Amino acid sequence: MYYFFIWALLTTSAHASGSLYVTISLFWEGSDIKQHNLDALQKLRSNFPQLKINHFISPVYFLDPEQRNSNLNKFRSALKEQDQVGLLLSPQKPITDKAGILLRNAPSFWGQTEKFCDSECGASVPLTVYSSSDIEKIFDASIGATSNLGISFSKSFATSGWQYSKAIAEVAAKKGFKYDWSAIPPSRIVRRLHNFPIYNWTKDTWSQFEKSNQPRRIKTTLSPMIVIPQSGGVVDYNTSQELLSFYKETLAQVQTSGTIYNLAVHQETCATFLPRIIDAMNKIFSDSKEKGTSLTFDWSSYRNTINPN
């Protein structure tokens, strides 16, 4: 399962109707990279060439010697100038093997113990069930697998399944990370996922983002961590009209300090949901034009507005 997010920073002044920061964060979660999904990504870029992408890549792609170079070339083909690359953390079997720790196959996001899985074993198990020492080993194994790719990594990371714990934050800060993109307002997934444990875990962790979708600073022993919520919803779970309503909800919360609009999409279903993504983006661009909202597309310009220290 891979995702990407479209998210935005909005600021206002007494004499402006607003400015909107827009980017895409593309999550690669370790499953096979299909050409039709790469083609869909290129079509999205063609439709909206101003968009820049934050890639969050699973190290699983680079642990199999027979697949490493092929996966790296496919990943590089999706990188463009001014894109950013972050790390995706998930306790999948190739990672736990490299970390030298015991793989857990339960509890699962979906309520059943994982069975009959291969390299994706562990992908639906929350990172939070591992001990602090094992979480650190997972971070180390993930960083090690991506350290010699010839790609510059940012100080951003995310966990699969919107997972968070103090132990994860402490280890992330220790490893030099500044930005955690794992949060989501639970209302974005309740309609489709309310029958699964992943919804209750998300509700218990991230309900504070229902009142405000702005990034939040959390304390760690070493340095603060900026948590960036996925306030725009998930394209697999929300209609384009719902995605637009989340955008308008964000516009209504505009403050001078900025607000995030963040739309999540599974990259492995990028081709399937491309029409919905394009429709939602067209609606957002049309609304911004009607309201006179200024759009900008550079992650660095946003990052510089939120000093993590």
Side-chain angles (χ1 to χ4, degrees), residues 5 23 40 51 94 108 115 123 133-134 159 161 184 197 201 212 232 242 244 267 290 296 305:
F5 310 99
T23 191
L51 294 176
S108 165
K115 295 179 181 179
S133 60
D134 282 354
T159 62
I184 189 170
W201 296 337
S212 171
E242 287 174 325
L244 177 64
Q267 195 267 7
E290 178 183 342
T296 55
T305 68

PDB file of all heavy atoms in Angstrom, residues 5 23 40 51 94 108 115 123 133-134 159 161 184 197 201 212 232 242 244 267 290 296 305:
ATOM      1  N   PHE A   5      -0.103  12.483  -0.565  1.00  0.00           N
ATOM      2  CA  PHE A   5      -0.950  13.492   0.041  1.00  0.00           C
ATOM      3  C   PHE A   5      -0.844  14.780  -0.731  1.00  0.00           C
ATOM      4  O   PHE A   5       0.233  15.168  -1.131  1.00  0.00           O
ATOM      5  CB  PHE A   5      -0.521  13.813   1.479  1.00  0.00           C
ATOM      6  CG  PHE A   5      -0.333  12.626   2.316  1.00  0.00           C
ATOM      7  CD1 PHE A   5       0.928  12.114   2.529  1.00  0.00           C
ATOM      8  CD2 PHE A   5      -1.409  12.011   2.909  1.00  0.00           C
ATOM      9  CE1 PHE A   5       1.110  11.018   3.337  1.00  0.00           C
ATOM     10  CE2 PHE A   5      -1.231  10.917   3.707  1.00  0.00           C
ATOM     11  CZ  PHE A   5       0.030  10.419   3.924  1.00  0.00           C
ATOM     12  N   THR A  23       1.060  20.906  -2.241  1.00  0.00           N
ATOM     13  CA  THR A  23       2.047  19.941  -2.719  1.00  0.00           C
ATOM     14  C   THR A  23       1.440  18.543  -2.682  1.00  0.00           C
ATOM     15  O   THR A  23       0.334  18.355  -2.206  1.00  0.00           O
ATOM     16  CB  THR A  23       3.344  19.979  -1.878  1.00  0.00           C
ATOM     17  OG1 THR A  23       4.357  19.207  -2.535  1.00  0.00           O
ATOM     18  CG2 THR A  23       3.123  19.446  -0.491  1.00  0.00           C
ATOM     19  N   ALA A  40       0.061   6.934 -14.252  1.00  0.00           N
ATOM     20  CA  ALA A  40      -0.982   7.788 -13.671  1.00  0.00           C
ATOM     21  C   ALA A  40      -0.368   8.978 -12.959  1.00  0.00           C
ATOM     22  O   ALA A  40      -0.878  10.107 -13.052  1.00  0.00           O
ATOM     23  CB  ALA A  40      -1.849   6.975 -12.712  1.00  0.00           C
ATOM     24  N   LEU A  51       2.658  21.340  -9.441  1.00  0.00           N
ATOM     25  CA  LEU A  51       2.744  20.566  -8.214  1.00  0.00           C
ATOM     26  C   LEU A  51       4.135  19.957  -8.039  1.00  0.00           C
ATOM     27  O   LEU A  51       4.732  19.465  -8.994  1.00  0.00           O
ATOM     28  CB  LEU A  51       1.706  19.447  -8.222  1.00  0.00           C
ATOM     29  CG  LEU A  51       0.242  19.870  -8.198  1.00  0.00           C
ATOM     30  CD1 LEU A  51      -0.646  18.641  -8.318  1.00  0.00           C
ATOM     31  CD2 LEU A  51      -0.091  20.648  -6.936  1.00  0.00           C
ATOM     32  N   PRO A  94      10.829  -7.903   5.856  1.00  0.00           N
ATOM     33  CA  PRO A  94      12.212  -7.626   5.447  1.00  0.00           C
ATOM     34  C   PRO A  94      12.931  -6.652   6.384  1.00  0.00           C
ATOM     35  O   PRO A  94      14.143  -6.762   6.581  1.00  0.00           O
ATOM     36  CB  PRO A  94      12.042  -7.016   4.046  1.00  0.00           C
ATOM     37  CG  PRO A  94      10.750  -7.569   3.550  1.00  0.00           C
ATOM     38  CD  PRO A  94       9.869  -7.617   4.766  1.00  0.00           C
ATOM     39  N   SER A 108      -3.757  -6.571  14.162  1.00  0.00           N
ATOM     40  CA  SER A 108      -3.771  -6.066  12.796  1.00  0.00           C
ATOM     41  C   SER A 108      -4.712  -4.868  12.683  1.00  0.00           C
ATOM     42  O   SER A 108      -5.691  -4.758  13.421  1.00  0.00           O
ATOM     43  CB  SER A 108      -4.245  -7.166  11.839  1.00  0.00           C
ATOM     44  OG  SER A 108      -4.607  -6.647  10.588  1.00  0.00           O
ATOM     45  N   LYS A 115      -2.030 -13.895   8.049  1.00  0.00           N
ATOM     46  CA  LYS A 115      -1.737 -15.280   7.669  1.00  0.00           C
ATOM     47  C   LYS A 115      -1.419 -15.330   6.183  1.00  0.00           C
ATOM     48  O   LYS A 115      -1.886 -14.501   5.392  1.00  0.00           O
ATOM     49  CB  LYS A 115      -2.934 -16.190   7.972  1.00  0.00           C
ATOM     50  CG  LYS A 115      -3.276 -16.318   9.454  1.00  0.00           C
ATOM     51  CD  LYS A 115      -4.485 -17.225   9.647  1.00  0.00           C
ATOM     52  CE  LYS A 115      -4.848 -17.354  11.118  1.00  0.00           C
ATOM     53  NZ  LYS A 115      -6.039 -18.219  11.325  1.00  0.00           N
ATOM     54  N   ALA A 123       2.998  -5.620   7.620  1.00  0.00           N
ATOM     55  CA  ALA A 123       2.601  -4.313   7.082  1.00  0.00           C
ATOM     56  C   ALA A 123       1.333  -3.782   7.725  1.00  0.00           C
ATOM     57  O   ALA A 123       1.137  -2.568   7.804  1.00  0.00           O
ATOM     58  CB  ALA A 123       2.430  -4.392   5.569  1.00  0.00           C
ATOM     59  N   SER A 133      13.205  -0.262  22.232  1.00  0.00           N
ATOM     60  CA  SER A 133      14.474  -0.729  21.659  1.00  0.00           C
ATOM     61  C   SER A 133      14.276  -1.334  20.274  1.00  0.00           C
ATOM     62  O   SER A 133      15.106  -1.135  19.379  1.00  0.00           O
ATOM     63  CB  SER A 133      15.134  -1.749  22.594  1.00  0.00           C
ATOM     64  OG  SER A 133      14.299  -2.878  22.791  1.00  0.00           O
ATOM     65  N   ASP A 134      13.166  -2.057  20.070  1.00  0.00           N
ATOM     66  CA  ASP A 134      12.893  -2.625  18.749  1.00  0.00           C
ATOM     67  C   ASP A 134      12.523  -1.536  17.748  1.00  0.00           C
ATOM     68  O   ASP A 134      12.882  -1.621  16.566  1.00  0.00           O
ATOM     69  CB  ASP A 134      11.778  -3.658  18.837  1.00  0.00           C
ATOM     70  CG  ASP A 134      12.265  -5.000  19.381  1.00  0.00           C
ATOM     71  OD1 ASP A 134      13.490  -5.146  19.575  1.00  0.00           O
ATOM     72  OD2 ASP A 134      11.423  -5.893  19.620  1.00  0.00           O
ATOM     73  N   THR A 159       4.662   7.040   9.563  1.00  0.00           N
ATOM     74  CA  THR A 159       4.440   5.629   9.859  1.00  0.00           C
ATOM     75  C   THR A 159       3.220   5.143   9.084  1.00  0.00           C
ATOM     76  O   THR A 159       2.298   5.908   8.804  1.00  0.00           O
ATOM     77  CB  THR A 159       4.192   5.414  11.359  1.00  0.00           C
ATOM     78  OG1 THR A 159       3.010   6.131  11.751  1.00  0.00           O
ATOM     79  CG2 THR A 159       5.377   5.895  12.184  1.00  0.00           C
ATOM     80  N   GLY A 161      -0.342   3.400   8.622  1.00  0.00           N
ATOM     81  CA  GLY A 161      -1.517   3.256   9.479  1.00  0.00           C
ATOM     82  C   GLY A 161      -1.730   4.378  10.466  1.00  0.00           C
ATOM     83  O   GLY A 161      -2.407   4.186  11.489  1.00  0.00           O
ATOM     84  N   ILE A 184      -3.929  12.075  11.189  1.00  0.00           N
ATOM     85  CA  ILE A 184      -5.114  12.322  10.370  1.00  0.00           C
ATOM     86  C   ILE A 184      -6.303  12.574  11.306  1.00  0.00           C
ATOM     87  O   ILE A 184      -6.426  11.904  12.339  1.00  0.00           O
ATOM     88  CB  ILE A 184      -5.427  11.129   9.430  1.00  0.00           C
ATOM     89  CG1 ILE A 184      -6.540  11.488   8.432  1.00  0.00           C
ATOM     90  CG2 ILE A 184      -5.780   9.885  10.219  1.00  0.00           C
ATOM     91  CD1 ILE A 184      -6.726  10.460   7.329  1.00  0.00           C
ATOM     92  N   PRO A 197     -10.251  -2.039  13.740  1.00  0.00           N
ATOM     93  CA  PRO A 197      -9.447  -1.498  14.845  1.00  0.00           C
ATOM     94  C   PRO A 197      -8.666  -0.248  14.477  1.00  0.00           C
ATOM     95  O   PRO A 197      -8.468   0.628  15.337  1.00  0.00           O
ATOM     96  CB  PRO A 197      -8.505  -2.658  15.186  1.00  0.00           C
ATOM     97  CG  PRO A 197      -9.250  -3.882  14.788  1.00  0.00           C
ATOM     98  CD  PRO A 197     -10.018  -3.482  13.552  1.00  0.00           C
ATOM     99  N   TRP A 201      -8.009   3.076  16.935  1.00  0.00           N
ATOM    100  CA  TRP A 201      -6.656   3.490  17.307  1.00  0.00           C
ATOM    101  C   TRP A 201      -6.394   4.922  16.845  1.00  0.00           C
ATOM    102  O   TRP A 201      -5.800   5.725  17.566  1.00  0.00           O
ATOM    103  CB  TRP A 201      -5.622   2.542  16.704  1.00  0.00           C
ATOM    104  CG  TRP A 201      -5.722   1.137  17.215  1.00  0.00           C
ATOM    105  CD1 TRP A 201      -6.279   0.732  18.405  1.00  0.00           C
ATOM    106  CD2 TRP A 201      -5.273  -0.047  16.553  1.00  0.00           C
ATOM    107  NE1 TRP A 201      -6.201  -0.635  18.523  1.00  0.00           N
ATOM    108  CE2 TRP A 201      -5.590  -1.150  17.414  1.00  0.00           C
ATOM    109  CE3 TRP A 201      -4.648  -0.315  15.343  1.00  0.00           C
ATOM    110  CZ2 TRP A 201      -5.282  -2.469  17.077  1.00  0.00           C
ATOM    111  CZ3 TRP A 201      -4.331  -1.624  15.011  1.00  0.00           C
ATOM    112  CH2 TRP A 201      -4.653  -2.690  15.865  1.00  0.00           C
ATOM    113  N   SER A 212      -8.726  21.609  15.092  1.00  0.00           N
ATOM    114  CA  SER A 212      -7.828  22.434  14.294  1.00  0.00           C
ATOM    115  C   SER A 212      -6.932  21.532  13.465  1.00  0.00           C
ATOM    116  O   SER A 212      -6.368  20.565  13.981  1.00  0.00           O
ATOM    117  CB  SER A 212      -6.962  23.318  15.198  1.00  0.00           C
ATOM    118  OG  SER A 212      -5.954  23.970  14.447  1.00  0.00           O
ATOM    119  N   GLY A 232      -7.032  16.677   4.627  1.00  0.00           N
ATOM    120  CA  GLY A 232      -7.842  16.680   3.417  1.00  0.00           C
ATOM    121  C   GLY A 232      -8.583  15.402   3.123  1.00  0.00           C
ATOM    122  O   GLY A 232      -9.367  15.339   2.181  1.00  0.00           O
ATOM    123  N   GLU A 242     -16.534  15.154  -1.079  1.00  0.00           N
ATOM    124  CA  GLU A 242     -16.081  15.190   0.308  1.00  0.00           C
ATOM    125  C   GLU A 242     -14.706  15.829   0.420  1.00  0.00           C
ATOM    126  O   GLU A 242     -14.436  16.619   1.341  1.00  0.00           O
ATOM    127  CB  GLU A 242     -16.041  13.765   0.882  1.00  0.00           C
ATOM    128  CG  GLU A 242     -17.414  13.183   1.172  1.00  0.00           C
ATOM    129  CD  GLU A 242     -17.350  11.729   1.598  1.00  0.00           C
ATOM    130  OE1 GLU A 242     -16.477  10.988   1.084  1.00  0.00           O
ATOM    131  OE2 GLU A 242     -18.181  11.327   2.445  1.00  0.00           O
ATOM    132  N   LEU A 244     -13.469  18.058  -1.509  1.00  0.00           N
ATOM    133  CA  LEU A 244     -13.662  19.495  -1.659  1.00  0.00           C
ATOM    134  C   LEU A 244     -14.210  20.100  -0.366  1.00  0.00           C
ATOM    135  O   LEU A 244     -13.800  21.204   0.035  1.00  0.00           O
ATOM    136  CB  LEU A 244     -14.612  19.786  -2.818  1.00  0.00           C
ATOM    137  CG  LEU A 244     -14.954  21.271  -3.039  1.00  0.00           C
ATOM    138  CD1 LEU A 244     -13.698  22.060  -3.418  1.00  0.00           C
ATOM    139  CD2 LEU A 244     -16.035  21.421  -4.114  1.00  0.00           C
ATOM    140  N   GLN A 267      -0.752   5.127  -3.523  1.00  0.00           N
ATOM    141  CA  GLN A 267      -0.104   5.132  -4.836  1.00  0.00           C
ATOM    142  C   GLN A 267      -0.387   3.847  -5.603  1.00  0.00           C
ATOM    143  O   GLN A 267      -0.500   3.875  -6.813  1.00  0.00           O
ATOM    144  CB  GLN A 267       1.406   5.357  -4.695  1.00  0.00           C
ATOM    145  CG  GLN A 267       2.100   5.746  -5.998  1.00  0.00           C
ATOM    146  CD  GLN A 267       2.650   4.554  -6.754  1.00  0.00           C
ATOM    147  OE1 GLN A 267       2.423   3.411  -6.385  1.00  0.00           O
ATOM    148  NE2 GLN A 267       3.373   4.823  -7.827  1.00  0.00           N
ATOM    149  N   GLU A 290     -12.095  31.350  -7.885  1.00  0.00           N
ATOM    150  CA  GLU A 290     -13.317  32.104  -7.576  1.00  0.00           C
ATOM    151  C   GLU A 290     -13.130  32.993  -6.354  1.00  0.00           C
ATOM    152  O   GLU A 290     -13.602  34.126  -6.322  1.00  0.00           O
ATOM    153  CB  GLU A 290     -14.463  31.123  -7.345  1.00  0.00           C
ATOM    154  CG  GLU A 290     -15.782  31.785  -6.973  1.00  0.00           C
ATOM    155  CD  GLU A 290     -16.868  30.774  -6.687  1.00  0.00           C
ATOM    156  OE1 GLU A 290     -16.721  29.608  -7.087  1.00  0.00           O
ATOM    157  OE2 GLU A 290     -17.875  31.143  -6.041  1.00  0.00           O
ATOM    158  N   THR A 296       0.698  28.593  -4.035  1.00  0.00           N
ATOM    159  CA  THR A 296       2.141  28.398  -4.157  1.00  0.00           C
ATOM    160  C   THR A 296       2.457  26.926  -3.950  1.00  0.00           C
ATOM    161  O   THR A 296       1.664  26.188  -3.367  1.00  0.00           O
ATOM    162  CB  THR A 296       2.924  29.249  -3.135  1.00  0.00           C
ATOM    163  OG1 THR A 296       2.441  28.945  -1.818  1.00  0.00           O
ATOM    164  CG2 THR A 296       2.738  30.733  -3.395  1.00  0.00           C
ATOM    165  N   THR A 305       8.485  28.427   7.389  1.00  0.00           N
ATOM    166  CA  THR A 305       7.562  29.191   8.222  1.00  0.00           C
ATOM    167  C   THR A 305       7.312  28.539   9.569  1.00  0.00           C
ATOM    168  O   THR A 305       6.715  29.130  10.453  1.00  0.00           O
ATOM    169  CB  THR A 305       6.196  29.384   7.516  1.00  0.00           C
ATOM    170  OG1 THR A 305       5.530  28.105   7.428  1.00  0.00           O
ATOM    171  CG2 THR A 305       6.378  29.969   6.122  1.00  0.00           C
TER     172      THR A 305
END
